[in-house]
Amino acid sequence: MAGGYDDRDGHIWMDGKMVPWRDANVHIMTHAMHYASSVFEGERAYNGKIFKSREHSERLCRSAEMIDFKVPYTVDELEAAKAEVLAASGLQDAYIRAIAFRGAGEDMGVASARNPVRVAIAAWEWGAYYGDAKMKGAKLDISKWKRPSPETIPSHAKAAGLYMICTMSKHAAEAKGCSDAMMFDYRGYVAEATGANIFFVKDGEVHTPDPDCFLNGITRQTVIGMLRERGIVVHERHIMPEELEGFEQCWLTGTAAEVTPVGQIGDYKFEVGALTRDIAQSYEKLVRA
């Protein structure tokens, strides 16, 4: 599928019906465009099946509630819609984007309780998020932006507005020849990459930041389960910046990122070691099982 994301063949599910891709439009006065009143999910289908689809649908609904609106479809209805979209796409391996947002209505200001909530679901072909980094290890910048305190934002919602500093961080990283950026949190602890959770290895044990102010990713939870099934100790804890020097391996997890090795963060370098390769390969087998 080539061309801009607004100029493609196919269909997108919008508000209960399939719409030709190029006609899946919203009005310029859509509230979400002005005030980021939007939540979304990124999902992948493998061999015609969406991995942990229901968990994603459930999280979409929870995220909406966290930013004070209700998705006007049940989880079962969302599941049926995603299946319809995937079938219409003709793809076996695909990326699925579900989005719920406050549309155009009687309100155009900060408050928007009278505006309808709209939902759309699209699917398209999308390869490795970090390109060849899955083989040699991604290079990460260190962002100047920090993940905010949960007292300032609904940090556990997958909400569009929370990604503004991620976009800026990734643009700055790419300008330096990096694939992505690692972010600290408001306290100075290691947090995550711009759209993926992060893991480190030291002396055969795994360390990953406690997701107390950022999204506890579904892929993150899956990988922690895989590690513990292998008897590998996993420490979910606050990680200080100075600890980066002592870690031996590093990887990122996310629906788009899947399991991607990291070779460098700033001046800190990591090997793409046996545990990293094993988890990446095992995850690939799991999602295609």
Side-chain angles (χ1 to χ4, degrees), residues 2-251:
Y5 279 89
D6 61 343
D7 185 22
R8 299 188 174 198
D9 296 328
H11 289 77
I12 293 175
W13 187 94
M14 289 192 76
D15 304 319
K17 61 183 180 181
M18 298 294 283
V19 176
W21 191 288
R22 293 178 181 84
D23 296 336
N25 300 314
V26 296
H27 196 274
I28 193 66
M29 299 307 288
T30 293
H31 191 271
M33 185 175 294
H34 297 258
Y35 294 98
S37 49
S38 169
V39 295
F40 69 97
E41 284 295 319
E43 311 173 43
R44 279 192 188 266
Y46 301 90
N47 298 330
K49 182 180 179 181
I50 302 172
F51 184 64
K52 297 207 169 181
S53 179
R54 193 171 191 87
E55 290 182 36
H56 283 283
S57 295
E58 290 170 347
R59 188 172 66 180
L60 182 75
C61 294
R62 288 197 305 272
S63 292
E65 291 170 359
M66 288 181 206
I67 69 166
D68 201 31
F69 69 80
K70 182 177 174 61
V71 173
Y73 298 94
T74 67
V75 169
D76 286 342
E77 289 170 332
L78 292 171
E79 288 296 287
K82 286 192 288 185
E84 184 179 1
V85 169
L86 184 59
S89 75
L91 298 171
Q92 289 293 299
D93 291 0
Y95 183 84
I96 293 87
R97 171 59 56 87
I99 183 168
F101 58 97
R102 290 193 183 275
E106 296 180 58
D107 293 326
M108 181 41 70
V110 173
S112 60
R114 294 181 294 177
N115 289 14
V117 173
R118 304 189 61 187
V119 180
I121 302 170
W124 63 88
E125 191 173 10
W126 202 8
Y129 186 63
Y130 292 112
D132 63 2
K134 291 198 75 173
M135 298 298 294
K136 65 180 184 180
K139 181 181 179 182
L140 272 57
D141 186 26
I142 296 178
S143 175
K144 71 175 184 179
W145 299 101
K146 295 183 177 181
R147 299 311 301 167
S149 164
E151 295 177 333
T152 65
I153 58 169
S155 57
H156 294 102
K158 194 169 177 65
L162 306 188
Y163 284 80
M164 179 183 67
I165 57 174
C166 299
T167 297
M168 292 188 289
S169 297
K170 185 152 179 145
H171 286 172
E174 290 176 340
K176 297 177 183 178
C178 298
S179 300
D180 203 350
M182 187 192 75
M183 307 178 79
F184 296 118
D185 71 16
Y186 65 102
R187 298 159 297 192
Y189 298 134
V190 173
E192 59 177 350
T194 62
N197 294 124
I198 194 163
F199 289 76
F200 301 96
V201 179
K202 183 177 181 179
D203 298 330
E205 298 183 350
V206 174
H207 303 256
T208 188
D210 181 7
D212 58 359
C213 67
F214 55 87
L215 201 67
N216 182 11
I218 290 172
T219 308
R220 176 187 184 275
Q221 296 171 50
T222 301
V223 167
I224 288 174
M226 293 168 61
L227 290 164
R228 288 179 171 155
E229 285 174 2
R230 286 165 163 74
I232 296 169
V233 176
V234 179
H235 303 277
E236 298 182 75
R237 64 178 182 85
H238 295 145
I239 297 174
M240 297 298 295
E242 55 266 29
E243 293 184 69
L244 293 172
E245 187 174 11
F247 292 129
E248 301 150 4
Q249 301 176 46
C250 177
W251 68 75

